[in-house]
Amino acid sequence: MHADAAYVNEAFRTGASGYLLKRSAAMELLQAVHSVMDGNFYITPIVSKEIVTALLKLEPSRLATIDDLTTRQREILQLVAEGFSAKAIANQLRVSHRTVEFHKAKIMEQLDLHTTADLVKYAMAHGLVTAP
């Protein structure tokens, strides 16, 4: 119904595979259904120019790399990957448990990782620890 890029973005973000407007032709609906059934996404040409324009205006985001982490963050990442708890890391580094949790959260945010398992895999992939 809405040709605004924000609506289209929200629709796809919440799981849509296609986006048409009420005023789209019946043949376009058929084309969209076939496209989605083939595993593709479909956006009506009526809004595609606006979508591409909005995408081009976005600044490219750059994820941090292992080289962007501070020495302390790398140290905490390594200890997490080695299986130490936040409390054990805090005792070893002589900092508070909350400081360790803060660093861990910051590392996850910077590297776009979401679980401790992701941190372990990342650390292993970057040579901070080796597989057992």
Side-chain angles (χ1 to χ4, degrees), residues 29-51:
L29 175 60
L30 189 58
Q31 181 183 0
V33 169
H34 286 294
S35 180
V36 170
M37 287 178 62
D38 287 340
N40 299 311
F41 290 99
Y42 185 87
I43 300 175
T44 182
I46 299 169
V47 296
S48 61
K49 181 179 180 185
E50 185 176 342
I51 300 302

Side-chain angles (χ1 to χ4, degrees), residues 52-127:
V52 171
T53 301
L55 285 172
L56 291 173
K57 288 180 183 177
L58 294 176
E59 288 190 35
S61 62
R62 185 184 83 74
L63 290 178
T65 66
I66 190 109
D67 296 328
D68 295 321
L69 299 179
T70 66
T71 302
R72 178 63 80 177
Q73 287 175 324
R74 289 175 77 143
E75 188 173 29
I76 289 172
L77 175 59
Q78 180 177 354
L79 292 169
V80 166
E82 289 175 356
F84 290 96
S85 68
K87 186 176 180 180
I89 295 169
N91 288 336
Q92 186 173 339
L93 299 180
R94 300 181 199 272
V95 297
S96 76
H97 172 268
R98 293 182 75 157
T99 298
V100 172
E101 290 295 344
F102 170 80
H103 281 298
K104 183 178 170 186
K106 195 70 177 161
I107 294 165
M108 292 171 84
E109 178 187 324
Q110 286 177 265
L111 300 176
D112 193 30
L113 301 172
H114 306 287
T115 65
T116 301
D118 291 338
L119 285 174
V120 172
K121 287 187 237 174
Y122 186 91
M124 289 175 67
H126 289 86

